[in-house]
Amino acid sequence: MASKHSISRRSFLKAVGAGSAAVAAAGVLSACGGSSSSTASSAASTAASSAPATTELAAEQVLNLIYTDLSLIDVNDVRNANEFEVLTAVQEGLFRTFTDENGVDVTENAGCESYDVSDDGLTYTFHLREGMKWSDDQPVTAQNYVDSWLRLVNPDLAFSYAFLAYGIVGAEDYCENGGKLEDVAVEYVDDLTFKATLIAPDPAFIKKVGMVCFYPVRKDLIDAAEAAGGNWTNDYTLHVFNGPFYISDRVLENNMTLKKNEKYWNADEITLTQINLRVVDESSTKAQLMESQQIDVLTLTDYEYVTRWENKVADGTFQYFSKAEPSVTYLVIDQHPAGNGGPSGLMLSPKCRKAMALAMDRDEFNLMFKEGLVTPAYGLIPYGITVGEDEFRAAHEEPLASEDTSPEALKALFEEGMAEAGVSGSASDVTLTTFLYNANAENMSQQEWYKQQLEDKLGVHVQIDTYPDVSTWKTARDSYQYDFYSMGWNGDYNDPMTFMELFVTGNGYAKFMGGYSNPEYDSMVEQAGASQDDAERMELFGKAEALLMEEGGCIPLYYDNSQMYAQSYVSGLSMPMFGAEYEFSRVKILAH
């Protein structure tokens, strides 16, 4: 007998100093029959402000925000944080993520009323909420979801997140290997029911399909727009909306207006009538707008304001939130066999790589470059990531946290690796090469810090190469002209797999991640991916992370934290660890 479930409820590649980033969403699975669930963790948002002085609502329910203009509004093609934020507000998928009063992610049923899972864990049948409508009064149907999921893996469209659907029978073959569309096991049953069949059980499947790229689409409108030569990708006038808000106006590179969608299934619970989004580039201007109440919520990128605004938090003018992100920044090391160990010839040596990893003083980096506001990383998996209901970091000490980091020990370890690699001489004979293209003052300062750490601790020399643009940088990367460079990853969904799979041999992101390869690691990650036993998965992921760190598969530096401020009169703002950075649908503007 199949089990029945309901849910109560951010890939993203960060090229640090070398590119841009995107973000993604997922949720938390509840027990059978429940309507809500949450996952406790040390990573929940923490607020340093008192409760609002009033619960009386302001006459005008308008929220004013900063945003980066969107390059697309196609849910299947979503890539960047700003796109996730807006699309989550104006569209509705199977589930929606909020945060509770403790800042913990809570995932609730949205477009999905419930779902069934077959006893073998392979077939998921989704039952949609009755009465849902698009903003043009057409019903939201199961066919809209089927069209979306099949479109996501269309090889001609090459969507960034197609790989998240590869667990579905036929999806990867269709997208990558010339397979047939009709063999992709996503099936319409009736207007309120559709199902998907997996190749193997996937404990993270529900977390994946809550993401924006799996939201429903209107194929009739897409086809009509394309036939007429319209810009479906980014012209809001061609779209319809089924979320709490809709896009009512937009001036490219300037502003966007969202208004309450009265046709939304839960419109009675939406208090905001309008959200004003404006493009502002300078961090000092953003701060001035916040101080003058012209914007209502701000995520800081200039950490100096954390100190400057302490008095505003203390007197209740601002609410302050520090939120752990599902994000790790690290140094990628060239382990591709074709790269022959990088320019140094040593990066295929686990001992050389581990010595480099242990040479980094992460606390010093945090203080010098992050004002002490990020979390030093001694493992791959950030705080707040869970297996079932248990936090991974609570179960596993960070592998590099208790290692000997004396320069003598590190130099000896590095030179052992040299000898095993057949490279003669001492560490002082070695030159390691790092590179970047966005050579601004901050990025160059960080590169100089890496150089100092490795030269002081290991006795090597470090060469910093710079490139004029991303194209030349990518060419150098793809021809293995580096020993290491800075990179990062934001998890797609709340499971260690979203980080662990990056280092599996042959993974599609291998060229970004240095090409680490170990059959033992691959086997443990594969077993964890298929297991339905949370305790077994927790153990396997822990062993795999420990192996990756022991072999210096990458050099973790820090887990990101966000510093967020809201005006005292903003109530009900959610800041999920997974999902859009901000969830606005329950916001209320209090009298002020």
Side-chain angles (χ1 to χ4, degrees), residues 60 71 132 145 197 270 331 389 407 419 491 511 561:
E60 188 176 67
S71 59
M132 290 193 65
Y145 282 91
T197 302
I270 308 301
L331 299 181
E389 294 296 314
K511 71 178 180 179
N561 298 315

Side-chain angles (χ1 to χ4, degrees), residues 485-496:
Y485 67 91
S486 183
M487 181 59 71
W489 187 261
N490 269 30
D492 290 317
Y493 50 91
N494 185 8
D495 191 88

Side-chain angles (χ1 to χ4, degrees), residues 160 359 584:
S160 299
F584 308 122

Side-chain angles (χ1 to χ4, degrees), residues 34-105:
S35 61
S36 68
S37 76
S38 63
T39 301
S41 83
S42 60
S45 304
T46 56
S49 54
S50 57
T54 180
T55 58
E56 181 184 353
L57 296 182
E60 188 176 67
Q61 290 296 307
V62 176
L63 185 68
N64 298 295
L65 303 169
I66 296 293
Y67 89 127
T68 302
D69 199 19
L70 311 186
S71 59
L72 57 88
I73 55 172
D74 182 342
V75 293
N76 295 138
D77 201 15
V78 65
R79 306 166 201 171
N80 300 299
N82 53 335
E83 295 153 7
F84 276 93
E85 191 165 296
V86 171
L87 291 174
T88 298
V90 300
Q91 304 292 11
E92 185 89 297
L94 294 171
F95 313 110
R96 183 168 288 271
T97 301
F98 303 94
T99 47
D100 66 13
E101 65 275 8
N102 298 312
V104 176
D105 280 18

Side-chain angles (χ1 to χ4, degrees), residues 28-31 37-40 386-391 534 538:
V28 180
L29 181 62
S30 72
S37 76
S38 63
T39 301
T386 61
V387 177
E389 294 296 314
D390 297 322
E391 187 186 24
D534 287 339
M538 181 73 86

Side-chain angles (χ1 to χ4, degrees), residues 171-223:
E172 183 174 12
D173 190 44
Y174 170 55
C175 194
E176 302 283 353
N177 305 315
K180 297 179 180 178
L181 173 61
E182 55 265 33
D183 292 336
V184 181
V186 180
E187 181 182 343
Y188 170 89
V189 178
D190 59 43
D191 277 356
L192 295 177
T193 314
F194 73 100
K195 64 182 181 180
T197 302
L198 307 187
I199 299 167
D202 180 2
F205 183 66
I206 287 298
K207 298 177 182 181
K208 294 174 183 177
V209 300
M211 292 177 59
V212 171
C213 60
F214 289 93
Y215 281 15
V217 299
R218 284 283 297 278
K219 189 173 183 299
D220 59 321
L221 297 182
I222 296 172
D223 292 345

Side-chain angles (χ1 to χ4, degrees), residues 242-262:
N242 71 329
F245 303 94
Y246 67 94
I247 301 173
S248 67
D249 190 36
R250 181 185 186 187
V251 178
L252 291 176
E253 300 300 333
N254 190 291
N255 63 75
M256 178 183 288
T257 303
L258 311 182
K259 290 189 177 180
K260 180 178 177 179
N261 181 8
E262 296 293 350

